[in-house]
Amino acid sequence: MKFTLSWLKDHLETEADVHQIAEAMTMAGLEVEAVLDPAAKLAPFTVARIVSAERHPNADRLQVCQVETVDGMKEIVCGAPNARAGLTTIYAPIGAYVPGLGVTLVEKPVRGVVSNGMLCSASELELSEESDGIQELPPEIPVGTPVAGLFGAEPVIDFEVTPNRPDWLGVAGIARDLAAASVGKLKHFDIAVVRGGFPSPISVRLEAPEMCPVFAGRVIRGVQNGPSPAWLQKRLTAIGLRSINRLVDVTNLIAYDRARPLHVYDVAKLVGTEIVVRAGQASAETGEAERLIALDGKTYAASPTDCVIADAGGERPIGLGGVMGGESTGCDEATTDVFLESAWFDPLVVAQTGRALGIHSDAQYRFARGVDPVSVTPGLELATRLILDLCGGEPSDIVFVGEPPASPAPFAFDPAHVKRLTGMDLADDRIGTILGQLGFLVQAAPAGQGKPWIVTPPSWRRDVEGPADLVEEVARIEGFDSLPDLALPPVARPAGGVLNPRQARVRTARRALAALGYAEAVTWSFTKQSTAALFGGGDERLVLENPIAADLDCMRPSALPNLIQAAARNAARGHADAALFEIGPIYLGDGPADQRTVVAGLVAPHPARHWAGAGEDALFTLKGDLTTLLEEIGAPVAALQLVQGQNRDWWRPGRSARLQLGPKNVIVEFGELHPRVLKALDAVGPMLAFEIVLDNVPEPRGKGSKARGSADLAPLMPLTRDFAFVVDEGKPAGDLVRAAAGADKALIAEVRVFDVYRGKGVEDGFKSVALEVVIQPRDATLAEAEIEALTRKVVAAVEKQGGKLRA
């Protein structure tokens, strides 16, 4: 919603400038978005006079003009066809920004002749939409006169209207609130009744009173339509509206001035003498919805939920009630007789029509929020008076059909509520004055009786339904800056919470995985029943009776399917190389004991192609990340047993394993996901994942401080010894690593697998696993005999696992 200061002063006596008005509006609860000052952008432009105009030596359509300007005589190149000696026009100096062109003028040659400025048209200064040449001004205007003053450019206030305040969609409503806020004095105008000189030849029939409860109108014959006077064009142009003609401009003016949309029909273009208000209807033969070509030139299909204005006995649609009129009955320069409409349309019907058809007209915007029903007749009388003043003509009697909606009901209000709810200590007289200035009818009880007031909201304030609404009105008009500044009573600070071991592990796991480069995903605790079945779930006991979506109808037995689908969605959007994790619950049954908390991670290794290849095996990288995570959350990594061949159906055989503390306590399963499962979830492999059951990870036995001790750094250099053992093909290398590390825990710091060999020299069904053993002396350098003894211990320990030292 926009308006100018001069427009506001038609309704409000005030000495406040535009910035003071904007500040007062903000304090009264109106959200001012901007104060637009067109005079500021016109400041560089002044009046100039062309002294001579000669043909450009290098261009037929250009002229070299000698121009008298505020800066003295200037030579300016101009291509306008109306540039001539003696013409008074608009001058833009070098450095000026021309808003219509979006350029800043610089001194440069035009076909070899330097132009020292520019002569401007009205469109180039955004003073009009079209121009035939440079602006022609009256010759008596002195050179150097600022252009801003000539065109009456004045600041415009642009503010947002909340849906509950449709009365703010008229300048009169804004003036009323500002007057209550003591910014000025409200001007009251009585709208004079215009007597009709003859019965209206156009009648109205309401077939859909639920859509349009009341409809009023009158015929005005003998009007002379044409361009609007300058004051009306300027007022509409200032707020961004295009002047069309006198009849249409009057309806637009009243819509913005009084929040009362109107419409005019050309009587000569109506078919028949009756206007029918009905619901949209479909063709009896084809079943297709009836169509209307609206004033915007577009064709719309009216459904039975839309209000339609029709003529020809109700057969031909000529408008969408409360939204937009039809092109077939629009007024133009040849119009002599009009039918002026002022009606009230149901806000919900208008809002649904606008949303369904994609129409956002000024009328639809206002009717959808609720126009004042009592303004039907006054709006018609005001428009009649303006049309008679601007176009002449003779009005008929008013046709009034239907019954307007009931006005808001009165209710009891205790003025003490203001202090109780806001803390403002206002006198009853001040409260009553504020409500009265806002249009509320206040019936106060006699002093000393202690009875509540009876307050009746005005017809334009249907959002006020109770005492709390009145308190809000008083508070915003008095000023929110008047609210008492009282400190809240001190409240003892609650004791800080202490994380339990599981919560601490969740926090640690989240930070560790983020540090490893994984991104956290937060997914639903549900999945599709068929998807749950792929991961050992889908039990009917876990199917939801009222799911939030058809594909989220079952409690998830694992966090992996949601991570797989998340990675697939990323891949579909061009981000195939994903590393995701989630910490959350899974459900293995319908009892409280069947819920588990898991830490699940997933890697979709799809790196960019490189000449060096894909790099190391992603499965071992995943295992390294998993080991790091287990160590961070305090799991007994050294005691975990690696078991292969016992994983569930969603893991790929031979590429998956589990870590456990005995057969009944599985800590984690990890490996490559089965291609069959990925295909069922529309995901492209390979994908590798792990799932740690936090409930199965034992708590650390140690107690006391969690502070990390000082680093235990050995003073002596470590040494390494390499071993190659031949073992059965199915023997896990991890068993050999653990056996070698346990040969002497005091001296052996680390054991690493650095090679696995199959081929010549190794029998079929066997493999050679090469181990690097890191020996860390503590007290003294080891002698050769001690190293040999330690070597024999390593060989003996590995042989117990079935390994044979390779010759």
Side-chain angles (χ1 to χ4, degrees):
M1 174 68 185
K2 297 179 181 179
F3 65 93
T4 61
L5 182 58
S6 62
W7 195 340
L8 177 68
K9 288 185 176 181
D10 283 351
H11 299 278
L12 185 71
E13 293 181 8
T14 180
E15 298 299 324
D17 62 25
V18 66
H19 297 290
Q20 292 171 328
I21 293 293
E23 177 66 21
M25 290 174 63
T26 300
M27 297 309 297
L30 289 86
E31 184 180 348
V32 176
E33 292 190 338
V35 177
L36 310 174
D37 189 359
K41 68 180 181 181
L42 294 178
F45 304 95
T46 55
V47 174
R49 183 171 292 105
I50 302 176
V51 176
S52 65
E54 304 292 339
R55 178 179 170 182
H56 193 291
N58 302 319
D60 293 339
R61 297 186 180 183
L62 297 179
Q63 297 186 79
V64 179
C65 302
Q66 302 300 321
V67 184
E68 182 185 359
T69 74
V70 69
D71 300 322
M73 292 296 295
K74 296 288 182 180
E75 186 172 71
I76 299 175
V77 178
C78 182
N82 62 333
R84 62 186 183 275
L87 177 65
T88 301
T89 185
I90 299 173
Y91 160 69
I94 297 297
Y97 176 78
V98 183
L101 301 178
V103 299
T104 299
L105 298 182
V106 295
E107 186 176 334
K108 65 177 183 179
V110 180
R111 294 288 184 94
V113 177
V114 175
S115 182
N116 298 285
M118 178 178 176
L119 302 180
C120 304
S121 66
S123 62
E124 288 166 340
L125 300 188
E126 295 184 339
L127 297 173
S128 69
E129 292 188 356
E130 298 179 358
S131 298
D132 295 331
I134 57 177
Q135 181 69 29
E136 298 191 17
L137 299 175
E140 61 270 14
I141 300 177
V143 171
T145 303
V147 170
L150 296 178
F151 290 91
E154 59 176 322
V156 176
I157 296 178
D158 185 3
F159 72 100
E160 187 67 29
V161 179
T162 55
N164 66 315
R165 293 302 305 271
D167 57 305
W168 283 345
L169 290 169
V171 179
I174 303 164
R176 183 188 303 111
D177 276 28
L178 290 174
S182 303
V183 179
K185 182 179 179 182
L186 186 66
K187 298 179 181 179
H188 295 280
F189 297 101
D190 292 329
I191 299 177
V193 175
V194 180
R195 301 292 180 184
F198 57 94
S200 172
I202 304 296
S203 61
V204 178
R205 174 160 49 96
L206 293 182
E207 290 187 356
E210 71 283 359
M211 294 181 172
C212 177
V214 59
F215 191 107
R218 75 186 332 160
V219 170
I220 304 177
R221 65 189 183 190
V223 299
Q224 293 182 348
N225 200 11
S228 295
W231 70 266
L232 180 52
Q233 292 189 36
K234 184 190 303 182
R235 179 153 291 184
L236 296 179
T237 303
I239 60 173
L241 294 181
R242 180 172 60 90
S243 176
I244 299 174
N245 55 53
R246 297 173 194 167
L247 292 171
V248 176
D249 288 355
V250 164
T251 63
N252 287 335
L253 176 71
I254 295 176
Y256 277 80
D257 189 72
R258 303 298 176 105
R260 161 36 66 184
L262 304 163
H263 187 65
V264 283
Y265 302 89
D266 189 329
V267 172
K269 298 177 182 179
L270 291 174
V271 178
T273 60
E274 183 183 45
I275 288 178
V276 180
V277 184
R278 57 171 174 79
Q281 59 190 19
S283 170
E285 299 178 356
T286 64
E288 294 183 356
E290 60 183 338
R291 297 185 176 275
L292 166 74
I293 302 176
L295 287 171
D296 60 1
K298 299 179 181 179
T299 301
Y300 299 98
S303 70
T305 59
D306 302 325
C307 182
V308 170
I309 312 298
D311 64 359
E315 293 298 322
R316 186 182 73 149
I318 59 173
L320 293 168
V323 179
M324 187 175 289
E327 187 178 70
S328 61
T329 56
C331 295
D332 52 31
E333 302 294 330
T335 300
T336 57
D337 299 336
V338 297
F339 181 79
L340 178 61
E341 168 201 300
S342 180
W344 192 88
F345 300 94
D346 182 81
L348 184 58
V349 173
V350 175
Q352 290 175 338
T353 298
R355 188 179 301 112
L357 301 180
I359 302 177
H360 304 285
S361 65
D362 288 337
Q364 187 269 344
Y365 188 79
R366 285 160 173 76
F367 277 120
R369 283 156 177 76
V371 172
D372 180 10
V374 178
S375 68
V376 170
T377 300
L380 185 64
E381 298 282 15
L382 180 59
T384 301
R385 173 52 57 195
L386 282 172
I387 291 175
L388 294 180
D389 290 344
L390 298 178
C391 306
E394 181 184 7
S396 74
D397 296 332
I398 292 178
V399 178
F400 192 96
V401 182
E403 186 71 26
S407 296
F411 55 84
F413 173 67
D414 185 353
H417 279 317
V418 174
K419 182 173 179 58
R420 187 177 306 120
L421 296 182
T422 68
M424 290 181 174
D425 193 6
L426 301 179
D428 289 358
D429 288 346
R430 175 58 179 159
I431 296 173
T433 299
I434 291 175
L435 295 178
Q437 289 178 323
L438 292 176
F440 293 87
L441 176 62
V442 179
Q443 295 175 291
Q449 292 191 4
K451 294 182 179 180
W453 298 351
I454 301 300
V455 178
T456 304
S459 58
W460 61 83
R461 290 303 305 274
R462 296 176 178 270
D463 59 306
V464 177
E465 299 177 347
D469 297 326
L470 294 181
V471 172
E472 181 184 359
E473 292 299 299
V474 172
R476 73 179 182 84
I477 294 300
E478 184 66 19
F480 292 123
D481 54 346
S482 300
L483 291 171
D485 185 10
L486 299 177
L488 293 174
V491 178
R493 185 175 180 178
V498 178
L499 298 179
N500 61 36
R502 179 180 297 178
Q503 291 171 328
R505 278 182 164 168
V506 166
R507 174 183 288 184
T508 302
R510 180 175 285 112
R511 292 177 176 175
L513 285 167
L516 290 169
Y518 288 72
E520 184 173 10
V522 181
T523 69
W524 296 105
S525 294
F526 321 114
T527 187
K528 196 173 183 179
Q529 186 178 10
S530 59
T531 301
L534 296 173
F535 290 81
D539 192 324
E540 289 294 335
R541 296 175 299 169
L542 297 179
V543 176
L544 304 176
E545 292 183 359
N546 186 24
I548 60 175
D551 57 349
L552 296 172
D553 61 348
C554 185
M555 306 301 291
R556 65 181 184 184
S558 168
L560 295 180
N562 290 357
L563 288 181
I564 293 171
Q565 291 171 324
R569 286 192 294 270
N570 277 273
R573 289 160 177 79
H575 302 282
D577 191 25
L580 307 174
F581 80 91
E582 182 176 10
I583 303 176
I586 63 172
Y587 305 88
L588 307 179
D590 60 349
D594 296 321
Q595 180 175 327
R596 301 284 190 274
T597 300
V598 299
V599 180
L602 179 139
V603 176
H606 294 85
R609 292 185 298 175
H610 193 271
W611 63 270
E616 58 182 325
D617 194 313
L619 182 56
F620 288 103
T621 302
L622 179 79
K623 183 182 176 184
D625 292 345
L626 178 58
T627 302
T628 301
L629 175 59
L630 291 172
E631 290 174 347
E632 287 290 330
I633 65 176
V637 178
L640 294 179
Q641 301 169 352
L642 180 70
V643 179
Q644 292 179 274
Q646 299 184 23
N647 292 84
R648 265 101 42 113
D649 294 341
W650 54 91
W651 299 107
R652 185 168 183 174
R655 297 278 290 173
S656 57
R658 62 171 56 170
L659 295 174
Q660 61 187 35
L661 288 171
K664 294 185 178 180
N665 189 9
V666 178
I667 302 297
V668 58
E669 293 184 357
F670 70 97
E672 184 176 340
L673 291 161
H674 203 291
R676 172 182 53 82
V677 173
L678 297 181
K679 183 178 180 181
L681 297 180
D682 198 23
V684 178
M687 289 188 183
L688 304 99
F690 63 81
E691 193 166 43
I692 302 172
V693 182
L694 279 181
D695 308 74
N696 295 347
V697 179
E699 301 294 337
R701 294 182 180 180
K703 297 182 180 180
S705 174
K706 297 182 180 179
R708 182 175 297 177
S710 58
D712 183 17
L713 301 177
L716 301 174
M717 289 288 293
L719 65 149
T720 61
R721 287 293 183 269
D722 294 344
F723 301 84
F725 295 98
V726 177
V727 295
D728 187 83
E729 178 66 42
K731 185 67 173 178
D735 293 349
L736 307 185
V737 171
R738 280 190 295 272
D744 191 328
K745 295 182 179 180
L747 289 176
I748 298 177
E750 187 178 2
V751 179
R752 294 189 287 261
V753 177
F754 69 87
D755 186 38
V756 178
Y757 173 74
R758 301 173 184 85
K760 186 176 180 181
V762 178
E763 297 181 14
D764 292 341
F766 291 86
K767 62 184 176 182
S768 173
V769 179
L771 303 179
E772 180 186 41
V773 179
V774 180
I775 303 170
Q776 178 62 67
R778 291 288 176 177
D779 300 324
T781 302
L782 297 178
E784 189 66 29
E786 292 174 310
I787 297 175
E788 290 297 329
L790 181 59
T791 300
R792 288 192 294 272
K793 287 182 181 181
V794 172
V795 173
V798 176
E799 285 179 346
K800 290 181 180 180
Q801 294 293 327
K804 181 180 179 182
L805 189 65
R806 184 178 173 191

